[in-house]
Amino acid sequence: MKDIPYGRQDVTREDIDAVNRVLRSDWLTQGPAVPQFETKVADYCGARFAVAMNSATSALHAACAALDVREGDIVWTSANTFVASANCALYCGATIGLIDINIEDGNIDPIDLEERLEKAARIGRLPKVVIPIHFAGEPCDLRRIHSLSKKFGFRIIEDASHAIGARHEDQAVGSCRYSDITIFSFHPVKIITSGEGGMATTNDNALAEKMSRFRSHGITRDHQQMYTKSDEPWYYEQIELGFNYRMSDIHAVLGMSQMNRLEHYISARHELAARYDESLGELPITKPLKNQENRTSLHLYIIRLKLDQIKKSRRDVVKELLISGIGVNVHYIPLYRHSFYQRMGFCRANFPATEKRYQESVTLPLFAKLSQESQQRVVTALREVLTE
Ligand SMILES: *Cc1c(COP(=O)(O)O)cnc(C)c1O
């Protein structure tokens, strides 16, 4: 029997036809499909602008640069995230601070955030930017983080790599109602994919312009922005340092085609999660929390083992499931556990909730095209491993 992965893309005939049409067109690199994809995502989210890039990591870097993060600045993010949420600030020369989580949903704990902000204010070490994650697709408490940003004077970048299609207070994540910029990832394990790809949404024209210059070497063709007055028809000007973070049209049409099925993907994930919720009833685990005020995009279905009721370690549970062909995973190895971040002085004792959640977590396979039979195999294997 084939192994069941924890996440997998769904590529349809329409997706393949769309990519084929681009391959036969005049544009392979950034052409007409990129702005069309940007408009589609911006409209869906209810944001004014969207800037596509070749990954969410690039988009996080561009977002930090647009908010003028530089050497001497401090950026805070969650201890429970993928390394890219923190690395982006280091690319700009800033230093990183980490915040502990709410153990139930894995998101930044606003109480811990407020306490750390008060301490930081006393010693004059407040962050310039805070990067909350919508962990596993469950929107974090942005309204509270936003009100703290007013009190303590920081900017907000939402890392919504997990959360396209999620809703919070009746708005799509990405509307930037409570933030400066929102970042999406279109990596194949995420909700929709463009192969590799990412996007930033914002309601601020200046930030959108900065990010689109940043993704293309810092070059402008707008004479208003140039320092040199020129009427030469070939003239363009690099006015600051940027990168080549452009998305190609090949990737953009794939992402655009996948956007047509976003609602279908979210409801498929909800149906699968409901089936897990039902069938895992009596096992010694904690099921994922769903906040009724939000719509989670259900990027990940993470159970937490009640280790005091199980005779095995988490490592053995994961190993046995992997041997049975069930592609379980763990999200995430907390940032402070990576040697690179340990060398900056982070220590797990300061993040008790992140640490406890990490020790108990197992991510089960969940993706739109997970069949009922495969899901049943996951449930049966898990039941065997946990009760034998
Ligand atoms: C996947 C992911 C990223 C990086 O996305 P890429 O598109 O692969 O660069 C960043 N942050 C989080 C939370 C992610 O899950």
Side-chain angles (χ1 to χ4, degrees), residues 68-207:
D68 202 26
V69 171
R70 55 176 74 207
E71 209 175 319
D73 289 332
I74 302 168
V75 173
W76 287 6
T77 188
S78 170
N80 177 37
T81 185
F82 183 58
V83 294
S85 321
N87 289 346
C88 56
L90 301 180
Y91 300 154
C92 298
T95 52
I96 278 290
L98 298 178
I99 310 154
D100 206 7
I101 57 166
N102 173 343
I103 194 162
E104 299 303 330
D105 63 12
N107 279 325
I108 280 182
D109 177 6
I111 299 167
D112 188 65
L113 175 60
E114 183 161 15
E115 281 172 14
R116 284 178 206 250
L117 285 165
E118 272 160 7
K119 265 187 228 153
R122 284 197 290 277
I123 57 170
R125 305 259 309 146
L126 280 169
K128 185 176 207 168
V129 175
V130 172
I131 308 180
I133 325 302
H134 301 297
F135 181 72
E138 178 70 52
C140 67
D141 192 348
L142 266 182
R143 178 147 37 109
R144 274 182 72 185
I145 298 171
H146 179 254
S147 75
L148 291 171
S149 79
K150 294 293 160 214
K151 184 168 165 199
F152 292 96
F154 57 84
R155 313 289 294 269
I156 300 172
I157 301 170
E158 298 171 58
D159 183 343
S161 292
H162 300 178
I164 196 158
R167 299 183 72 81
H168 174 65
E169 291 188 355
D170 231 25
Q171 292 205 355
V173 165
S175 73
C176 297
R177 178 182 188 179
Y178 292 125
S179 69
D180 297 284
I181 299 169
T182 301
I183 304 298
F184 295 116
S185 170
F186 308 124
H187 180 281
V189 298
K190 310 290 161 87
I191 309 282
I192 63 162
T193 189
S194 62
E196 294 275 6
M199 204 174 290
T201 59
T202 182
N203 294 316
D204 182 323
N205 187 25
L207 291 178

Side-chain angles (χ1 to χ4, degrees), residues 220-232 234-239:
T220 185
R221 290 178 186 277
D222 176 357
H223 287 271
Q224 304 280 325
Q225 295 175 353
M226 293 181 189
Y227 290 77
T228 311
K229 294 294 153 227
S230 168
D231 56 5
E232 296 146 333
W234 63 85
Y235 191 71
Y236 59 83
E237 193 172 299
Q238 182 184 346
I239 59 171

